[in-house]
Amino acid sequence: MRNKIYNSSVFTMFVFLIITIIFCIGASGIEFGETNNYKYTVYSIEFNYFGIDTPKMEEMITIPLEEKLGSINGILDYKSDIQYGKSTTSLYFSKKENSKNIYLAIRNIVDNLYNSLPSDVQKPRIYSSDLNSKSVVCIAFFAQEEKDSLRNWIELNLKKRFESIDGVSEVLISGGSQKEILIEFDSEKSAAALQNPSDFAAIIQDGNSIYSGTKLRYENFENTLSFSTKIKSIEDIKNLPVRVSDGYTTLGYLADISLSSKPEEEVVKLNGTDCVSISIKSSSDGNSIFISKECKKILKQFEYTGYKYNILYDTGKSQQKLINSVLLALLESFLCLILLIPLFFSKKRTTALILLLLPVSVIWTLGLLKFSAYSVNQYTIAGLCIALGLIVDPALIVSELSEKSSCKESFLIKLKGVTPSIISASLTSVIVLFPLLFLDNIVPGVKNIAIAIIFMVLVSMILVIVFFPAFIYSNKIGIRKPNSVNAKIERKYVKLTFKLVLISISRRKLICVLYFLSMLLPVLIFVFMGKSLSLSAESNVIYCSIDYDPDVSNKYIDSDIKPLIEQIKSNECIRFVRSECKKGNVELEIGFDEKYKKKDVLIYLDSLKNYVPEGYFYVPEVNQKFYKKQNSFMIACVGDDNIKCREYARLAAKNISENNVGKVVLNFKKDESFYEFVPNKVLLAKNELSVQGLAGTLRWLMFGPVADKWIKDGKEYDIRIVGKDTKNLSAEKTSNLFVPVPNGSINLNSLGQIIKTSDISKIYRKNGRRAAYFTVETVGLSTDKARIKIEDIFKAIETEKGYGFSFDYEIQRLSRNYTLMFEILLLSIIAIYILMVFLTEDFVKSLKIISIIPVSAVLPLVIKLMLNTPLELGDIIGIIILSGISINNAIYISESHFKDTVFKVRNKIKSIVITSLTTVISSIPLYFFSKDNFSKSIAFFMIFGILSSFISSIFMYPAIEKTEDAKCKKNLV
């Protein structure tokens, strides 16, 4: 069969075309998509219990929820925050865990807890993203008309469509007010009718339900009888009967009932103009490019409405640009190889077939990716760029054989002899990549790079061994002109190589010492060099915040930041400023033109702090310097008491600042002032009231909890019950409110007194304990060195038993992750050694071949050391990939049929030069034109690692090879 393939060009072409057509069909259907940078599977649970204070919310909902969630298998970390009647808990799981099983476990726990809570607790939401994760798409609708009606239109027409997009976690609408059914009861009338406000809620819930009834059985069939009391209109609510002492009345008599707007929780503006914005978040496994395209399709369907909108930022579009930049790098690599290869081969057939091999290998690889359910993203394309130089390697060897063979039979015999070398070189490039397929939870995207390289290297090996020989050989013997460009180039590098090899052999002892030092140096640099954690791509949106005192209203903040917004807008580099003002805080999203440097925009923003003297204007990353890596640590002081946690956090922040380790920002505010009612328990007992009952009455009277949900025309409305004219009451007027008692009603001031106090308004929790968070930004230090410095400061702080400081899970695992990477590198080298022993049946020879792996890493590591740049995860991945490629030169030299080292190198120098050049040149565009730091790191190690391998192969490795030859000759004597 093999001879038939090699000798029958027609049959081989037919088989080749059939397979290529199949892969072309697969490649044409492949999708572009982003590999999400989430390292974990994330779920968040949100409970709302309006009118409940923060400590009570924590006790009633958050703590019981955390106790149950902590028992789920595979949970790595969980955090909670509670404020203003809302509790949100975010859970982080390894991506290795089954996400469906996790969701079902969470759903079961949440449902059981919800069923045990009071009926006025809102139905909890579960969504698959972090509470603090950024939106992938943000759309602003200009509020030319009333904001409330615009928001209502968005809720009805857009929100559910956006939520139905695959990969969308949640859709947040801000700006304007939602509509609700507001029931404002007269406190005096209800007290006179002996009605507690909670009774109104029970009446509404009872009148807005469907109850299963009974079975109506007949002789041959049966039907179900159910009782339906669903509310169909506001008039139905008004006519609900209410029992009073002397008979019945209606709810409409005791309360004013209307469809009204909720109080505006946030004031949202775009460039100082009112707007309603839609923020769309992606789930931890979502594809932002797909989400972006689907959002635009939905928006296009509603263009006829005339609503004007602006897409402020679109991560999917940015990811598409990133992919395009890597595609451009791939195209440039291809063009460079087209220009390079003809310089080394005289036959046009050889040049044409090698160049044809490049696109065919890409097409076959894309087809395999499609059939394996992979999408094309920046990481798979980066893998194709790196592999582009590798696939030329075996083709060059076969081409060189064809040019040196006098007949086809001679060519096939030589091909048979060199096939094991081609297979071994391909397998060594591939074998080191298999462990990377299981590291996507540590280094997002590495799986895509690894699989692209594996597929492409194996495809090229099959093409070269099976199909390439049938077309490469020609009976026409090409006569190379001695003065041709090819001949001149070859003479120059052969002559230079000959001199370097002779120097290496003549000074064998010195070169051997240098070689062994070069083997040891990368290990020392790796152990002692700083290591950082940086995988994020650059964004042209800056997220800032301004913190005020916790009880400052959103409307006041909105008016206070107007001068700042105007000043920011005045700079030509600014595209938009989106502000979202909430009580005590404003979040700013500032988009800038890509042609400006981010650090310049950050410095400009930081210079505007004087425009908001009443607030603290936080601009992140403002101290970042060129070549100096910046780290941001989110640190929690954990313990049992909020006040002590905050005290220790303040002390730690002070010590870090005094030691000039970095900039520190406390992520909690000072206590919020509020009024507290202190009841007289004797008076409560006389009026047959309990503390809990009175608190519930005041909650319904003043805050207005949601009693039920009402659905009309597909839109869900809250039914909220609140006392009439109780908005913005002073403490004096609040004390005069009437409270129902069994025999009538009584003023609140007759039951106790109202005092002004302050307390913590927001509680943070981490892994089941209370926490106080603060952020430390360091400049000029690697991640691990900065962490060690901060930990040393923590050790000097004396804390009570049970209190301590905790980094994020990712930072805690940093050292372990780098150790794991180093272990994988060692395992890869061991695997290559085992493979080489299997192929060569020589332990010493195999050990000698793999010795070039650490030597190849010397040059890139020394460059990073000289630039004072810490190692990143992309660098380690680059070293691992390099380890499987760098030994190919040593394999070619060792497998040469010549005995003398000089002739071994001279015999294989053409293959070594061309394969090294093609690998380096194919990686250069990726390094310079890719906007992805991770891909850049890998390309950096490919470029300088292959150069290091090439130099050591012709200058230092011959001394090792010659030493072995000398030992053999000595043994023979």
Side-chain angles (χ1 to χ4, degrees):
M1 180 68 181
R2 181 174 178 176
N3 289 333
K4 185 177 180 180
I5 291 175
Y6 290 158
N7 294 317
S8 177
S9 299
V10 176
F11 174 76
T12 307
M13 177 64 74
F14 176 77
V15 175
F16 170 76
L17 288 176
I18 291 295
I19 297 173
T20 303
I21 289 170
I22 293 172
F23 282 128
C24 278
I25 294 171
S28 64
I30 198 166
E31 295 180 355
F32 283 85
E34 172 219 6
T35 296
N36 224 315
N37 276 340
Y38 287 107
K39 296 183 179 181
Y40 315 107
T41 299
V42 185
Y43 287 99
S44 294
I45 304 113
E46 182 182 303
F47 275 89
N48 284 284
Y49 193 8
F50 301 120
I52 296 295
D53 64 352
T54 302
K56 186 68 175 177
M57 188 82 176
E58 179 190 33
E59 177 189 348
M60 184 182 295
I61 294 176
T62 311
I63 293 176
L65 178 65
E66 288 181 344
E67 288 174 351
K68 297 293 183 182
L69 293 173
S71 63
I72 299 177
N73 291 330
I75 190 169
L76 302 175
D77 201 14
Y78 58 96
K79 303 173 184 177
S80 300
D81 63 63
I82 314 102
Q83 186 180 31
Y84 302 138
K86 183 168 78 171
S87 169
T88 306
T89 301
S90 296
L91 306 109
Y92 304 84
F93 297 87
S94 170
K95 279 195 170 182
K96 296 178 182 179
E97 303 294 332
N98 187 300
S99 58
K100 290 183 178 179
N101 292 342
I102 293 171
Y103 176 79
L104 290 174
I106 294 172
R107 179 85 268 175
N108 182 55
I109 291 170
V110 171
D111 287 345
N112 289 337
L113 177 61
Y114 176 64
N115 292 332
S116 66
L117 295 172
S119 59
D120 50 336
V121 175
Q122 298 291 285
K123 189 173 182 180
R125 295 192 310 121
I126 302 175
Y127 47 90
S128 53
S129 64
D130 190 345
L131 171 67
N132 299 314
S133 62
K134 303 301 181 185
S135 306
V136 294
V137 180
C138 184
I139 309 159
F141 282 81
F142 299 102
Q144 296 174 340
E145 303 175 8
E146 188 185 351
K147 281 197 295 183
D148 296 349
S149 61
L150 175 59
R151 176 166 181 150
N152 186 55
W153 180 84
I154 292 171
E155 294 268 2
L156 284 172
N157 296 281
L158 296 180
K159 185 176 181 181
K160 288 186 178 179
R161 286 179 170 85
F162 287 144
E163 288 175 336
S164 65
I165 298 173
D166 187 29
V168 169
S169 167
E170 61 175 333
V171 178
L172 303 175
I173 300 176
S174 52
S177 300
Q178 291 178 287
K179 295 292 184 180
E180 65 178 358
I181 305 297
L182 184 62
I183 300 175
E184 295 181 290
F185 64 89
D186 189 307
S187 58
E188 294 186 26
K189 281 185 179 181
S190 62
L194 302 180
Q195 286 293 326
N196 196 300
S198 59
D199 296 334
F200 296 146
I203 291 168
I204 292 169
Q205 292 164 3
D206 187 66
N208 191 34
S209 303
I210 296 178
Y211 299 95
S212 59
T214 185
K215 299 283 186 182
L216 299 178
R217 290 182 174 84
Y218 299 91
E219 186 176 348
N220 297 322
F221 64 92
E222 63 179 35
N223 284 329
T224 301
L225 175 65
S226 61
F227 298 92
S228 176
T229 57
K230 292 294 289 183
I231 293 172
K232 297 180 177 61
S233 66
I234 295 178
E235 288 300 317
D236 288 350
I237 301 176
K238 291 179 178 180
N239 294 326
L240 286 172
V242 180
R243 185 178 180 86
V244 293
S245 58
D246 55 351
Y248 289 89
T249 185
T250 62
L251 188 59
Y253 170 76
L254 299 173
D256 295 336
I257 303 171
S258 63
L259 181 65
S260 61
S261 299
K262 289 183 179 180
E264 195 171 14
E265 294 183 357
E266 65 280 314
V267 178
V268 181
K269 292 187 176 182
L270 178 63
N271 299 331
T273 304
D274 284 337
C275 72
V276 178
S277 68
I278 307 173
S279 299
I280 300 168
K281 289 189 176 184
S282 169
S283 61
S284 53
D285 58 351
N287 183 330
S288 64
I289 293 178
F290 176 78
I291 292 172
S292 170
K293 290 179 179 178
E294 292 301 308
C295 288
K296 289 174 182 176
K297 287 180 183 177
I298 293 170
L299 290 171
K300 195 171 184 180
Q301 294 172 7
F302 291 92
E303 284 183 350
Y304 69 91
T305 59
Y307 285 111
K308 293 183 179 180
Y309 64 87
N310 187 9
I311 299 177
L312 303 185
Y313 54 87
D314 181 352
T315 305
K317 184 179 179 180
S318 302
Q319 287 295 327
Q320 187 65 60
K321 286 183 179 179
L322 189 61
I323 290 174
N324 292 342
S325 70
V326 185
L327 274 174
L328 179 63
L330 178 63
L331 178 62
E332 289 168 341
S333 299
F334 183 72
L335 293 174
C336 289
L337 293 179
I338 289 176
L339 296 174
L340 176 69
I341 290 172
L343 299 176
F344 293 89
F345 293 94
S346 58
K347 289 185 178 180
K348 293 181 179 179
R349 173 193 288 261
T350 303
T351 303
L353 286 174
I354 292 176
L355 294 178
L356 181 64
L357 177 68
L358 301 177
V360 170
S361 298
V362 172
I363 291 170
W364 280 37
T365 302
L366 290 175
L368 284 173
L369 289 171
K370 171 63 177 178
F371 297 143
S372 304
Y374 284 91
S375 62
V376 172
N377 52 56
Q378 69 268 29
Y379 298 117
T380 52
I381 300 171
L384 295 178
C385 282
I386 293 168
L388 204 59
L390 305 181
I391 64 173
V392 178
D393 193 349
L396 296 175
I397 297 171
V398 176
S399 301
E400 194 174 359
L401 288 179
S402 70
E403 289 193 350
K404 293 180 179 180
S405 299
S406 57
C407 62
K408 192 164 188 176
E409 288 73 19
S410 173
F411 166 64
L412 294 178
I413 292 170
K414 291 179 180 179
L415 177 65
K416 187 177 180 181
V418 82
T419 297
S421 296
I422 294 174
I423 294 173
S424 63
S426 299
L427 290 180
T428 53
S429 300
V430 165
I431 197 170
V432 299
L433 300 173
F434 280 102
L436 303 183
L437 300 178
F438 307 98
L439 295 180
D440 215 40
N441 61 319
I442 297 176
V443 190
V446 68
K447 181 178 180 181
N448 299 79
I449 289 179
I451 201 71
I453 297 175
I454 289 171
F455 280 171
M456 203 158 176
V457 169
L458 293 179
V459 160
S460 68
M461 183 185 73
I462 293 169
L463 286 170
V464 168
I465 293 176
V466 178
F467 297 102
F468 198 68
F471 306 104
I472 192 65
Y473 183 78
S474 173
N475 290 322
K476 296 179 182 179
I477 301 174
I479 301 174
R480 190 184 340 197
K481 297 177 182 179
N483 293 323
S484 65
V485 176
N486 309 76
K488 288 180 179 179
I489 292 174
E490 187 170 340
R491 281 199 299 270
K492 284 186 178 296
Y493 68 70
V494 168
K495 185 177 180 180
L496 177 62
T497 303
F498 186 74
K499 289 181 179 179
L500 291 174
V501 173
L502 289 178
I503 293 172
S504 175
I505 293 172
S506 63
R507 301 180 181 179
R508 187 165 56 241
K509 290 183 179 180
L510 175 62
I511 297 298
C512 285
V513 171
L514 288 174
Y515 190 82
F516 287 118
L517 288 175
S518 299
M519 289 174 59
L520 182 62
L521 186 60
V523 180
L524 296 175
I525 292 176
F526 185 91
V527 172
F528 295 104
M529 194 173 181
K531 301 168 184 68
S532 283
L533 190 65
S534 176
L535 291 172
S536 58
E538 286 293 323
S539 170
N540 61 341
V541 178
I542 298 172
Y543 301 91
C544 304
S545 64
I546 307 174
D547 287 324
Y548 289 79
D549 289 340
D551 40 12
V552 178
S553 70
N554 55 8
K555 291 185 178 179
Y556 177 82
I557 293 174
D558 178 54
S559 64
D560 188 58
I561 65 170
K562 282 182 180 179
L564 173 67
I565 301 298
E566 290 298 323
Q567 189 62 32
I568 293 174
K569 284 194 314 177
S570 66
N571 194 308
E572 62 179 5
C573 71
I574 301 299
R575 290 174 42 240
F576 68 85
V577 183
R578 177 183 173 272
S579 59
E580 184 170 332
C581 302
K582 297 181 179 180
K583 186 180 178 183
N585 172 268
V586 57
E587 298 289 339
L588 298 177
E589 293 176 353
I590 303 168
F592 63 93
D593 198 307
E594 291 180 349
K595 65 183 180 182
Y596 292 91
K597 293 182 179 179
K598 186 176 181 179
K599 65 176 183 178
D600 294 334
V601 181
L602 290 169
I603 293 171
Y604 169 70
L605 293 174
D606 191 58
S607 69
L608 304 178
K609 290 185 175 181
N610 292 334
Y611 281 84
V612 280
E614 295 185 45
Y616 173 71
F617 188 15
Y618 172 62
V619 181
E621 305 175 12
V622 71
N623 293 321
Q624 190 170 4
K625 297 179 182 178
F626 189 60
Y627 285 132
K628 300 281 186 177
K629 293 295 181 181
Q630 185 191 45
N631 298 288
S632 181
F633 298 95
M634 179 75 78
I635 304 171
C637 177
V638 294
D640 298 322
D641 183 72
N642 271 320
I643 296 174
K644 286 185 179 180
C645 286
R646 295 189 175 200
E647 287 176 356
Y648 288 133
R650 289 190 184 97
L651 179 59
K654 179 184 176 184
N655 291 354
I656 291 170
S657 298
E658 289 177 352
N659 284 274
N660 297 318
V661 175
K663 176 183 175 182
V664 187
V665 178
L666 298 174
N667 296 344
F668 52 88
K669 300 180 182 180
K670 66 180 184 180
D671 295 352
E672 183 176 358
S673 61
F674 59 91
Y675 288 98
E676 184 177 76
F677 179 72
V678 182
N680 186 316
K681 294 183 180 180
V682 175
L683 294 175
L684 288 181
K686 286 182 179 180
N687 288 278
E688 300 181 28
L689 290 174
S690 65
V691 174
Q692 186 175 358
L694 178 59
T697 299
L698 290 175
R699 177 170 165 266
W700 286 99
L701 187 66
M702 300 187 66
F703 185 82
V706 175
D708 206 352
K709 299 285 186 180
W710 180 48
I711 299 175
K712 183 181 181 182
D713 300 329
K715 179 75 169 63
E716 185 179 80
Y717 299 92
D718 289 340
I719 301 177
R720 194 160 66 91
I721 301 174
V722 68
K724 191 175 182 180
D725 299 326
T726 57
K727 294 180 182 178
N728 304 319
L729 289 181
S730 64
E732 183 181 353
K733 289 183 178 180
T734 301
S735 65
N736 291 323
L737 289 174
F738 285 94
V739 177
V741 293
N743 297 320
S745 61
I746 189 173
N747 279 354
L748 187 62
N749 60 4
S750 301
L751 299 172
Q753 61 177 332
I754 297 176
I755 60 174
K756 191 173 183 179
T757 185
S758 63
D759 200 356
I760 293 171
S761 61
K762 188 170 185 178
I763 295 176
Y764 297 94
R765 295 178 63 85
K766 182 177 182 180
N767 295 329
R769 305 187 72 198
R770 285 183 170 177
Y773 285 94
F774 58 98
T775 302
V776 181
E777 291 185 352
T778 64
V779 177
L781 292 172
S782 62
T783 306
D784 60 333
K785 289 182 179 178
R787 177 179 57 84
I788 291 170
K789 280 196 170 187
I790 294 170
E791 285 178 343
D792 290 340
I793 293 172
F794 290 161
K795 290 175 183 177
I797 299 174
E798 294 184 4
T799 60
E800 292 184 17
K801 187 176 181 181
Y803 290 84
F805 297 94
S806 172
F807 289 87
D808 275 349
Y809 179 80
E810 194 169 344
I811 301 298
Q812 295 177 29
R813 293 282 300 177
L814 177 65
S815 298
R816 175 57 190 151
N817 288 343
Y818 274 98
T819 303
L820 178 62
M821 292 293 182
F822 187 71
E823 291 171 353
I824 289 173
L825 178 59
L826 292 179
L827 288 173
S828 301
I829 295 173
I830 293 170
I832 293 172
Y833 177 69
I834 293 171
L835 176 64
M836 294 310 303
V837 170
F838 174 76
L839 294 173
T840 62
E841 299 181 355
D842 189 329
F843 290 95
V844 177
K845 185 178 182 179
S846 301
L847 190 63
K848 183 177 58 178
I849 290 172
I850 68 166
S851 67
I852 204 169
I853 293 175
V855 178
S856 303
V858 168
L859 182 58
L861 286 174
V862 168
I863 291 173
K864 290 188 78 71
L865 188 65
M866 291 173 64
L867 294 174
N868 194 24
T869 305
L871 282 176
E872 297 179 359
L873 290 174
D875 299 327
I876 313 301
I877 299 299
I879 295 173
I880 293 172
I881 296 173
L882 178 66
S883 66
I885 300 169
S886 59
I887 67 168
N888 289 346
N889 294 341
I891 292 174
Y892 295 145
I893 294 172
S894 300
E895 292 295 323
S896 175
H897 61 277
F898 287 98
K899 299 294 183 183
D900 191 88
T901 302
V902 177
F903 291 102
K904 281 184 177 183
V905 177
R906 185 169 183 173
N907 177 243
K908 294 295 182 180
I909 188 59
K910 185 175 182 179
S911 298
I912 293 172
V913 169
I914 298 174
T915 53
S916 298
L917 275 176
T918 54
T919 306
V920 169
I921 287 175
S922 63
S923 299
I924 287 175
L926 181 64
Y927 179 75
F928 284 103
F929 296 103
S930 174
K931 297 179 181 179
D932 174 34
N933 292 332
F934 181 56
S935 301
K936 280 180 178 286
S937 296
I938 295 177
F940 173 82
F941 268 85
M942 294 304 300
I943 294 167
F944 293 101
I946 294 300
L947 285 176
S948 182
S949 174
F950 172 73
I951 294 168
S952 59
S953 296
I954 62 175
F955 182 65
M956 290 193 287
Y957 187 76
I960 305 298
E961 190 76 23
K962 188 67 180 179
T963 302
E964 186 64 28
D965 292 344
K967 287 181 181 179
C968 292
K969 290 176 182 178
K970 186 177 180 180
N971 291 334
L972 287 172
V973 175

